[in-house]
Structure formats: structure tokens, C-alpha cells
Amino acid sequence: MTKLRVVVLLAVVALLLVPAFAYAQTPPQPPCRFYGTVTEDGAAVPAGTIITATVAGDEYTAATPAEGYGSSSYAIKIEEPDGSNYEGATVSFEIGGSAAKETGTWTLGGNVNVNLSVGEATTP
């Protein structure tokens, strides 16, 4: 009977500890997603144009067109690295290496529309 008591005791301890370990893990934080149109001098940019988003010195890239959004569009997901806090930080963008006029603000779980542009729109 002593062996049975030890086995039962170990089983009870294991059942008590397993949930504690499961709850101790921090769940991943939802990213902030930015999307929109991209223009250069008022015209659509070519497919494959690289869009770079920078927040707190960290860079994230995407290429046009964003799948499902049509030509001259982008979509980029920005996830906080462990130990970072982007909440409320300004996100700057580049279109093919040129600074976009527009910026965005990172928000936890955000889905933010920012239409990007560089250059000047031409008038007919």
C-alpha cells in the first residue's frame, strides 16, 4: 500500500503543478497592422515596390501589391519583440527608400489605414 500512496501523491502534485506552469506563460500580444494605398508623384507605384515601416528603431518590410487589396497597395504587420513596448509610438514609412509624408501610431491589436505618398501630385 505504501507504493500506491506514493503514486497517488505524485499524481496529485503533478495535477496541481501542470496548470500553474500553463498559466505562468505570457500569451503573445496582438500585433498592429497597417495598410493602404501607395503613390509616388500622384501615380501608382510598380508591383514589387518595397515598403519599410520603422518603429522604435526596428524595421519591418512588405512589398506592393498587398494580396487582396489591389495594385499600388501595402499591408504590413508589426509585432512587438519581447521586452519592447511600442504602444503609442510613431511609425514612419519609406516607399522604395524614400520617406513617406505620412506616419502612423502603433496600437495594440490595431488595424490602421495609412495611405502613403512621396513626391508631388502632378496637375494636368
Side-chain angles (χ1 to χ4, degrees):
M1 280 306 219
T2 305
K3 286 184 181 180
L4 181 59
R5 286 183 183 173
V6 170
V7 170
V8 170
L9 179 62
L10 289 175
V12 169
V13 169
L15 288 174
L16 292 174
L17 290 179
V18 169
F21 287 120
Y23 289 115
Q25 296 177 354
T26 304
Q29 296 295 316
C32 184
R33 186 173 164 278
F34 292 88
Y35 68 96
T37 60
V38 184
T39 60
E40 182 175 1
D41 295 326
V45 299
T49 299
I50 302 298
I51 307 302
T52 303
T54 304
V55 57
D58 298 326
E59 290 186 351
Y60 301 83
T61 60
T64 61
E67 188 174 321
Y69 289 93
S71 65
S72 200
S73 65
Y74 79 100
I76 194 163
K77 180 173 63 171
I78 301 176
E79 298 182 68
E80 289 178 312
D82 288 340
S84 294
N85 182 359
Y86 290 165
E87 188 65 36
T90 298
V91 180
S92 60
F93 297 92
E94 289 184 357
I95 301 170
S98 298
K101 297 175 187 176
E102 300 77 18
T103 61
T105 301
W106 196 97
T107 57
L108 186 65
N111 191 31
V112 184
N113 178 269
V114 179
N115 294 322
L116 303 176
S117 62
V118 293
E120 297 296 324
T122 56
T123 55

